[in-house]
Amino acid sequence: MSAPNIETIVSLAKRRGFVFPASDIYGGLGSSWDYGSLGVELANNIKQSWWRWLVHERDDIEGLDSSIIQNRLVWKYSGHEATFSDPLVDCRKCQSRFRADKLEHPKISDNVETQKAFEQTPIEELIAIKEFPCPNCGSTDLTAPRPFNLMFRTTVGAASSDEDETALAYLRPETAQGIFIKFANVLNTSRRKLPFGIAQIGKAFRNEVTPGNFIFRTREFEQMEMEYFCRPEDAPRIFEEFIDGFQKWFHSLGISAENLKLYEQSKEELAHYAERTVDILYRFFPEREDEEKQFDELMGIANRKDFDLKAHSKKPEDAEGKRINSDSTEDLSYFDEATKQRFYPYVIEPAVGVNRTLLAILMDAYSEKTNDKGETRVILKLKPELAPIKVAVLPLAKNKPEIVAMAKDLKRKLLPAMRTVYDDTGGIGKLYARQDEIGTPFCVTVDHESLEDNAVTVRDRDTWEQERVNVSELKDYLQKRLS
Ligand code: GAP
């Protein structure tokens, strides 16, 4: 079966309670989504997998949960106040608004050379000389691009008005800065030595100009970020290790290698603080004809050098030896006992979006299968570790009290060990189909014979094969197959 497009996933997500449009009873709020009972379980399972893999299994990474709202100076010295913006263009005719950096040169000629020459002219210049048509209405009456800061503004405490600059604060646009400003606290309390990392999972907010494609780009989202502090000379090797490690982690979540791709950012694309950035792309748009355009960013791995620790430090010096930060009270440099040297560590940052990972997992797990009656069924082949529900216990006859009682008792016995549900709201075919569609790895059916032989039928989601298992061995059997 060809890969599903995002629309197929939106429909499944809404139908089965993974993700709903937010505020929809009041007309919705552009590109905002609420996670339902299955969605929140899936997201939690993804976050747990990331945390376990990085923080618990590696033993060189500490956890952190920093504030969403920080002192405004954090965003001054991180550079976000001055530079975290998108270039916005308005069409004066149809009032559409676009990001200049995302506009593509339209096709103006079949002649390859003419088209190439046209594409070499930056879009800003074409807009200025009224040679660039609005992608919506074709008018060339466009405003010059102007920077639009993506940080959400808020006020802290009893501000006299929304314009009160002394109370101004921002919702964090990334979790990373909360980590950098806590470098010294974590270093001192954990008594770590380089290299070591600090990991954090949390919400981030960006007033995106063009959000869209379901949960791919939203204004409120969740990040899993880790800042790995190391000696400058070790940074290139550690960078490569994380590229490799994260691809393996995505594979372990069931994302197939053919839907992942690496993308090395060019010098022009690199953020001002980055020495090198490699994005791991996922095939979010399989319906696009141009294979390159099928892929978009799932995560980024950046070598941020010593930019952030220096920027937040009390007495960092720039190339001319001038003081950069006059507000911080802390020096975030590192003293190496062995060499007796003081320096600012380099940072390798793998930054993953929870929501994009969830979308990629749903897309990769989606499959269809035809049953004996020629009916097409959706099967969500989620890894058992990620499945929101691990087992569904189903009575074959809901009008037989002994069968119902045995099924409910089984559910209660399994519940402490694995998330289990009981369902008797349909015929067995319908109940199986419902569980397949939400990715439940196993269905356990209690039938008339179960009352005699104390055994139940265990059905595998992916193969639809059935096996008879004695109730006394059921928990061990399921635990083994789920791990
Ligand atoms: N600290 C680095 C940083 O924030 P980023 O590439 O801007 O880097 C990291 O963000 C990840 O966060 C992205 O790869 C993506 O998965 C997710 N992300 C960023 N903006 C997002 C948005 N508007 N909606 C959903 N996810 C987003």
Side-chain angles (χ1 to χ4, degrees):
M1 188 216 133
S2 62
N5 59 25
I6 287 186
E7 288 316 313
T8 312
I9 301 299
V10 175
S11 151
L12 171 71
K14 193 173 167 190
R15 193 169 68 245
R16 300 314 316 274
F18 282 94
V19 184
F20 307 112
S23 312
D24 51 344
I25 65 165
Y26 289 108
L29 175 70
S31 296
S32 295
W33 302 91
D34 293 334
Y35 288 71
S37 49
L38 299 178
V40 70
E41 292 290 341
L42 179 53
N44 282 343
N45 292 342
I46 292 168
K47 288 185 271 184
Q48 269 168 26
S49 166
W50 185 89
W51 193 268
R52 200 172 42 242
W53 173 54
L54 281 179
V55 181
H56 293 180
E57 288 174 13
R58 283 180 60 109
D59 201 30
D60 60 351
I61 295 173
E62 301 285 337
L64 181 76
D65 186 11
S66 69
S67 285
I68 286 177
I69 299 176
Q70 301 275 358
N71 188 312
R72 178 185 170 185
L73 292 171
V74 171
W75 309 108
K76 173 180 169 184
Y77 287 102
S78 69
H80 284 80
E81 266 197 344
T83 63
F84 195 60
S85 54
D86 281 342
L88 266 199
V89 176
D90 285 306
C91 171
R92 291 196 182 91
K93 185 158 176 236
C94 71
Q95 266 74 51
S96 306
R97 185 164 276 186
F98 312 97
R99 273 176 65 175
D101 58 330
K102 292 281 175 193
L103 291 173
E104 280 183 26
H105 288 80
K107 187 159 184 244
I108 56 154
S109 168
D110 281 335
N111 180 305
V112 178
E113 291 309 316
T114 313
Q115 180 71 25
K116 236 192 221 162
F118 172 70
E119 284 173 8
Q120 274 159 10
T121 313
I123 284 173
E124 295 74 14
E125 258 177 56
L126 292 169
I127 290 174
I129 57 170
K130 296 209 177 297
E131 286 292 341
F132 191 87
C134 163
N136 188 42
C137 73
S139 162
T140 53
D141 193 7
L142 306 179
T143 63
R146 63 184 191 291
F148 171 75
N149 196 293
L150 299 185
M151 285 195 292
F152 277 100
R153 293 157 68 100
T154 187
T155 48
V156 172
S160 52
S161 79
D162 283 353
E163 268 69 58
D164 182 353
E165 289 273 312
T166 59
L168 174 62
Y170 302 102
L171 303 189
R172 67 180 174 203
E174 62 173 15
T175 64
Q177 297 303 323
I179 297 178
F180 296 127
I181 59 173
K182 280 288 153 288
F183 171 73
N185 301 67
V186 177
L187 176 71
N188 295 334
T189 52
S190 64
R191 284 175 286 138
R192 288 277 181 188
K193 290 197 169 27
L194 291 184
F196 76 98
I198 306 178
Q200 162 154 250
I201 299 177
K203 289 265 175 135
F205 305 83
R206 297 181 189 175
N207 202 359
E208 298 280 2
V209 179
T210 47
N213 290 314
F214 189 37
I215 54 173
F216 178 79
R217 180 168 284 106
T218 50
R219 296 191 171 106
E220 175 179 341
F221 54 98
E222 207 165 6
Q223 291 185 313
M224 301 180 280
E225 296 201 286
M226 199 269 292
E227 309 301 325
Y228 198 80
F229 302 94
C230 61
R231 289 185 173 75
E233 62 273 24
D234 293 334
R237 173 184 53 79
I238 291 167
F239 190 97
E240 294 294 338
E241 285 169 6
F242 281 123
I243 294 179
D244 193 45
F246 272 88
Q247 288 180 96
K248 290 195 176 120
W249 181 66
F250 285 127
H251 296 159
S252 80
L253 299 182
I255 297 177
S256 56
E258 64 178 38
N259 290 331
L260 290 174
K261 202 157 106 168
L262 296 182
Y263 176 76
E264 175 96 38
Q265 287 193 9
S266 65
K267 286 261 169 304
E268 294 74 43
E269 290 169 302
L270 283 178
H272 60 282
Y273 54 74
E275 180 162 294
R276 187 182 172 203
T277 297
V278 169
D279 292 332
I280 299 185
L281 312 182
Y282 178 75
R283 199 192 300 268
F284 285 109
F285 308 101
E287 71 282 7
R288 292 182 182 164
E289 239 170 71
D290 181 347
E291 168 139 27
E292 218 160 274
K293 293 197 173 131
Q294 294 176 359
F295 289 83
D296 212 327
E297 182 184 332
L298 172 59
M299 75 168 293
I301 299 161
N303 178 346
R304 298 181 73 121
K305 302 180 286 182
D306 53 6
F307 174 84
D308 304 272
L309 291 180
K310 265 187 180 165
H312 290 301
S313 279
K314 186 179 163 188
K315 283 182 203 156
E317 290 178 351
D318 65 12
E320 283 89 46
K322 283 195 215 111
R323 237 171 95 150
I324 299 168
N325 192 328
S326 51
D327 293 308
S328 168
T329 57
E330 190 94 39
D331 175 28
L332 301 176
S333 61
Y334 175 85
F335 183 71
D336 188 336
E337 292 288 350
T339 61
K340 304 287 177 219
Q341 278 178 333
R342 183 167 282 285
F343 62 96
Y344 292 96
Y346 265 36
V347 175
I348 303 301
E349 173 192 72
V352 196
V354 173
N355 319 76
R356 285 189 193 178
T357 305
L358 187 143
L359 179 57
I361 284 169
L362 285 179
M363 292 183 77
D364 236 274
Y366 185 96
S367 69
E368 290 177 358
K369 188 168 169 173
T370 308
N371 67 12
D372 300 344
K373 297 178 194 149
E375 298 158 333
T376 302
R377 296 282 185 234
V378 172
I379 307 182
L380 209 52
K381 294 190 172 178
L382 293 174
K383 288 272 171 186
E385 176 200 0
L386 296 178
I389 295 167
K390 313 296 183 200
V391 180
V393 184
L394 315 170
L396 199 64
K398 75 168 182 183
N399 52 5
K400 182 109 180 160
E402 297 94 317
I403 291 183
V404 169
M406 185 173 175
K408 286 188 173 168
D409 186 50
L410 264 185
K411 175 195 134 174
R412 267 191 300 275
K413 287 195 173 123
L414 292 175
L415 256 183
M418 59 200 81
R419 188 156 152 73
T420 308
V421 295
Y422 168 88
D423 192 2
D424 64 6
T425 58
I428 195 72
K430 199 168 170 191
L431 296 182
Y432 282 154
R434 205 180 273 167
Q435 296 301 328
D436 286 347
E437 207 181 24
I438 61 171
T440 306
F442 297 106
C443 286
V444 170
T445 310
V446 181
D447 54 26
H448 294 87
E449 253 184 278
S450 307
L451 301 174
E452 310 292 325
D453 64 0
N454 203 35
V456 288
T457 301
V458 178
R459 173 187 177 272
D460 181 291
R461 174 196 67 199
D462 300 343
T463 61
W464 291 352
E465 275 168 14
Q466 306 197 352
E467 205 174 328
R468 202 76 184 158
V469 179
N470 197 284
V471 167
S472 59
E473 289 155 18
L474 184 65
K475 196 170 103 186
D476 283 353
Y477 171 91
L478 289 169
Q479 269 178 327
K480 215 174 275 167
R481 292 201 56 191
L482 283 166
S483 59

